[in-house]
Amino acid sequence: MTAPFPNLPPTPDTAIVWQSDSLYLLDQRDLPSVAKYLQLRSAAATANAIRDMVVRGAPAIGVTAAYGVVLAAREAFAENPTGWKQGIAARISRLRMSRPTASNLFWALGRMQQLIEQLSAERDPEAELLAEAVKIHERDVADNMRMGEMGAELIDGPTRVITHCNAGALATGGYGTALGVIRSAFARGSIHQVYADETRPWLQGSRLTAWELLQDGIPVTLLADGAAASLMSRGDIGWIIVGSDRIAANGDVANKIGTYGLAVAAKHHGVRVMVVAPTSTVDMQMASGQEIPIEVRGDDEVLGCGGKQIGADGAEVWNPVFDVTPAELVDVIVTEKGIVHSPTRKKLEKLITN
Ligand code: MRU
């Protein structure tokens, strides 16, 4: 009998929990007003949860998909204990199609797939696949802590920063990428004010980033996305600090829609741009950002807000949920393997092969 809830209080650092043979996800669609877990027992339910934004943020999607493969293995083995590899393949394909942009999804599934290839087709694979998923999860947290310290080293504060979307514990295995740097720098006293774009249409900034930072006692000031350039023009913003969904080989960065506009405004105002992402976000198969698949989501997300329609009936909608910031607008990419200043293909190749 599985527990209806994980035996944990819902916090940003416990947004993805494997407990009592189930995957539990803190439902990010309802945060911060409702903090409740969804229990997942199948790969299809996991794929749907990723698609529907129960869990979001590139590294968190990767970690979740890895646990989804464990559920896929259990289902496939129950169906056919001597031929589970066929049954798992279709389920992994479904996980792969859940969202198109986050590199970490494909990276995590690739790692699970590599292990599957080494396993016997006639033995229950669940325990070994679970151990690998836990490794992916734990590695992500450790990488984030490392990047947090490395990124914080770059900030000669005290200064103010702007972040976009949510690249925190909720978007990762824990601690966060951009918010990891902000956490570490705040602890050192080099950041004393954090501005968070509200991040339409899903409001990851006002709902999730603000919730996370306030729980850590880090004061946060929310602003409408359109206010960021004006804020930069006042001259007291040191850095834009963001995460990424996929970084191309030439250093172009795909991230939440609005990041490109922030980077253009930052260049104009002499504000530096820091992208914080593990190397599982770097996709050396994509020569440039133009090749990165950009997810376009439903019209309802732009027409509505908080479950209520606010846009004019009959208006057409364009809703790409990521954009690409060209490498020349990025001052620094912080990864767990090291820091790349003014990214280029050559520098990223050197970092990845190290
Ligand atoms: O649509 P989302 O909420 O999944 O988009 C998330 C982002 O764009 C994040 O900035 C990115 O995934 C990095 S999270 C560490």
Side-chain angles (χ1 to χ4, degrees):
M1 172 91 173
T2 55
F5 302 106
N7 189 15
L8 287 166
T11 69
D13 275 308
T14 54
I16 305 170
V17 179
W18 181 274
Q19 201 175 79
S20 313
D21 292 337
S22 285
L23 175 61
Y24 292 91
L25 297 177
L26 184 55
D27 192 337
Q28 299 193 27
R29 298 169 301 183
D30 298 328
L31 288 172
S33 46
V34 181
K36 68 169 198 307
Y37 284 98
L38 284 190
Q39 182 187 27
L40 303 174
R41 305 270 298 156
S42 74
T46 308
N48 291 346
I50 295 172
R51 179 198 65 200
D52 297 342
M53 308 280 283
V54 172
V55 60
R56 29 65 49 203
I61 291 170
V63 170
T64 301
Y67 287 120
V69 174
V70 180
L71 296 172
R74 185 187 300 160
E75 294 173 278
F77 186 75
E79 254 168 39
N80 185 354
T82 53
W84 57 267
K85 288 199 182 186
Q86 232 180 328
I88 202 171
R91 290 176 170 94
I92 291 177
S93 298
R94 179 137 184 209
L95 285 163
R96 188 172 288 116
M97 286 184 317
S98 56
R99 287 192 78 188
T101 305
S103 190
N104 312 61
L105 169 64
F106 309 102
W107 174 86
L109 290 177
R111 259 187 70 158
M112 298 301 280
Q113 189 67 52
Q114 261 176 17
L115 176 58
I116 288 167
E117 278 154 28
Q118 291 162 24
L119 296 177
S120 156
E122 288 163 19
R123 257 199 15 239
D124 186 348
E126 185 173 330
E128 276 150 297
L129 288 170
L130 177 59
E132 186 69 3
V134 170
K135 250 196 241 168
I136 289 172
H137 193 166
E138 287 174 351
R139 174 186 149 172
D140 190 62
V141 181
D143 287 352
N144 290 339
M145 297 195 136
R146 197 170 146 68
M147 291 189 290
E149 288 306 308
M150 287 195 290
E153 283 284 324
L154 298 170
I155 298 172
D156 40 358
T159 191
R160 299 177 166 88
V161 301
I162 301 177
T163 189
H164 189 66
C165 193
N166 170 265
L170 288 167
T172 62
Y175 200 63
T177 55
L179 288 197
V181 170
I182 288 171
R183 286 190 159 104
S184 299
F186 185 82
R188 294 171 180 220
S190 50
I191 288 178
H192 65 96
Q193 190 167 14
V194 182
Y195 289 95
D197 287 342
E198 63 176 351
T199 319
R200 274 284 291 156
W202 271 85
L203 302 174
Q204 289 95 330
S206 62
R207 294 188 303 107
L208 308 177
T209 295
W211 186 64
E212 267 200 64
L213 290 177
L214 290 173
Q215 288 193 47
D216 272 9
I218 301 177
V220 57
T221 306
L222 288 174
L223 65 155
D225 300 350
S230 192
L231 177 63
M232 284 183 238
S233 76
R234 292 155 53 129
D236 54 5
I237 299 295
W239 288 89
I240 306 295
I241 307 180
V242 292
S244 172
D245 284 81
R246 201 184 292 225
I247 298 174
N250 68 345
D252 290 351
V253 169
N255 191 45
K256 178 53 55 195
I257 190 77
T259 305
Y260 173 42
L262 271 183
V264 169
K267 183 62 127 195
H268 181 73
H269 295 104
V271 173
R272 284 168 292 176
V273 174
M274 184 191 299
V275 176
V276 189
T279 49
S280 49
T281 303
V282 180
D283 183 351
M284 294 305 280
Q285 305 305 314
M286 304 268 131
S288 80
Q290 282 182 342
E291 293 178 20
I292 297 176
I294 298 293
E295 179 180 11
V296 176
R297 293 181 68 92
D299 297 2
D300 53 317
E301 295 184 353
V302 172
L303 284 171
C305 192
K308 190 170 158 228
Q309 180 163 340
I310 46 164
D313 253 340
E316 288 178 12
V317 169
W318 182 52
N319 186 21
V321 299
F322 301 103
D323 58 24
V324 173
T325 299
E328 62 262 31
L329 297 181
V330 175
D331 290 278
V332 62
I333 297 177
V334 178
T335 76
E336 83 286 2
K337 286 190 169 187
I339 292 172
V340 177
H341 293 270
S342 307
T344 60
R345 180 173 186 114
K346 222 167 153 187
K347 292 181 190 172
L348 277 171
E349 257 165 9
K350 194 168 162 215
L351 175 95
I352 294 294
T353 50
N354 256 347

